Amino acid sequence: MGTDSNSGGGGSRARGWVLKALVLFGGALLLKRLRKATTRWDHARAVAEALSGEKFSREQARRDPDNYFNIRMLTCPATEMVDGSRVLYFEQAFWRTPQKPFRQRFYMVKPCPKEIKCDVELNSYAIRDVEEYKNFCDRPKDQRPQPEEVIEDIAEHLTTIHLSRCERGKRCLYEGSTPPDGFPNSWNGATYCTSEFAIYKNGEVHTWDRGYDDEGNQVWGARDGPYEFKPAPSSSDDDMFSPLNFAPTLSLEKKMEGSFVIDEQ
């Protein structure tokens, strides 16, 4: 009788282990399926959040004032599309004159199409009335164009950048670029433009926009590497707007030619 009791207990324990294994296996499969269902949108959300905020190329301009300006990059949420794509407002201005942005765009952030090997698709669009959106992020929400207006003001498509999660061990979180043949662009004699983009773990965003003519000669954009935008330091940093080794403001406008695409307004 004792033997039967022990064997019965062993059988119960074995069944218990089998049941636990099945539960764990089933849970792992479910988690895997959930991750597959949400990861694409998690990536898009992470990129949108990383882009948002105020960033400056201040340190880079200090290191190499002949080739880089201290630019303020400001990005914030503007609306969300029906399919879940996030629309961000983006502007760039010289740090001395943040109220006068020279570049204004909408970014649309969404997962890459399944047929393309990437994680996030970052599209840029022109704005129908740029004057109405100047300093959009600095204004109280009730003094900005409202979400439904934003959707109506999304104008022509400009570029698409496909971003992928960076490999383990790299400093970046996401990196990518436009296709090699770029997108049409006519500023300063260009016929097409390309963009490279990287988001870093410390909050930096590196962008490298360049324009080329029919013969492949670069006609605008930084030549030595991407612009490096770092998050704005805290207000306690008294050195934030200290005089830098920059050319006077008037000469900046002359040096701008060949460095940036200036929105025609």
Side-chain angles (χ1 to χ4, degrees):
M1 289 176 59
T3 302
D4 291 342
S5 176
N6 289 337
S7 62
S12 297
R13 284 195 296 273
R15 285 194 298 272
W17 283 112
V18 171
L19 182 60
K20 286 182 180 178
L22 287 172
V23 170
L24 289 173
F25 181 69
L29 284 177
L30 178 60
L31 182 60
K32 187 176 181 180
R33 288 177 181 174
L34 287 173
R35 282 177 175 167
K36 281 187 176 179
T38 59
T39 294
R40 295 170 63 249
W41 285 104
D42 285 343
H43 284 306
R45 182 164 52 252
V47 167
E49 291 174 355
L51 288 176
S52 297
E54 186 180 39
K55 304 177 192 292
F56 291 86
S57 58
R58 173 197 178 216
E59 291 184 20
Q60 188 179 34
R62 259 190 174 161
R63 293 195 311 267
D64 189 358
D66 290 332
N67 294 300
Y68 297 94
F69 304 105
N70 184 2
I71 302 299
R72 179 205 196 206
M73 183 175 81
L74 186 61
T75 311
C76 64
T79 191
E80 189 170 306
M81 306 299 284
V82 175
D83 66 355
S85 301
R86 297 190 176 199
V87 179
L88 309 177
Y89 170 77
F90 158 90
E91 69 180 22
Q92 288 181 333
F94 291 117
W95 73 276
R96 294 178 186 272
T97 54
Q99 73 280 7
K100 297 179 180 180
F102 60 78
R103 177 183 280 182
Q104 296 170 261
R105 298 281 186 270
F106 283 132
Y107 279 146
M108 189 178 295
V109 187
K110 60 183 179 180
C112 282
K114 292 182 179 179
E115 64 272 14
I116 300 178
K117 191 176 180 181
C118 61
D119 293 308
V120 179
E121 186 174 279
L122 180 64
N123 293 288
S124 66
Y125 292 86
I127 298 173
R128 200 172 305 280
D129 184 357
V130 292
E131 286 293 329
E132 188 177 348
Y133 284 84
K134 280 186 176 180
N135 307 125
F136 176 91
C137 302
D138 292 320
R139 292 187 249 162
K141 289 187 177 181
D142 61 353
Q143 295 179 23
R144 304 174 180 175
Q146 296 306 296
E148 58 275 10
E149 296 177 83
V150 171
I151 294 173
E152 293 178 359
D153 288 333
I154 297 174
E156 67 270 22
H157 171 264
L158 300 173
T159 62
T160 296
I161 297 173
H162 292 130
L163 298 171
S164 296
R165 178 80 179 183
C166 293
E167 296 178 1
R168 196 178 288 251
K170 298 185 72 172
R171 287 199 311 121
C172 59
L173 288 173
Y174 295 90
E175 61 182 352
S177 64
T178 54
D181 53 353
F183 289 88
N185 183 278
S186 59
W187 193 77
N188 202 40
T191 55
Y192 71 97
C193 66
T194 62
S195 294
E196 296 180 23
F197 208 93
I199 296 171
Y200 287 81
K201 297 174 183 177
N202 61 359
E204 290 184 30
V205 172
H206 292 191
T207 66
W208 198 359
D209 302 325
R210 288 168 286 181
Y212 298 89
D213 62 19
D214 282 328
E215 298 178 353
N217 300 308
Q218 184 178 343
V219 294
W220 62 257
R223 295 181 179 274
D224 297 330
Y227 260 83
E228 302 171 3
F229 293 97
K230 298 187 177 185
S234 64
S235 58
S236 61
D237 187 351
D238 295 332
D239 195 40
M240 179 60 213
F241 295 116
S242 61
L244 304 180
N245 186 24
F246 292 155
T249 303
L250 288 176
S251 65
L252 284 179
E253 295 180 1
K254 295 179 181 179
K255 290 175 68 177
M256 285 281 290
E257 186 170 354
S259 297
F260 289 98
V261 173
I262 311 300
D263 289 338
E264 296 180 0
Q265 300 172 11

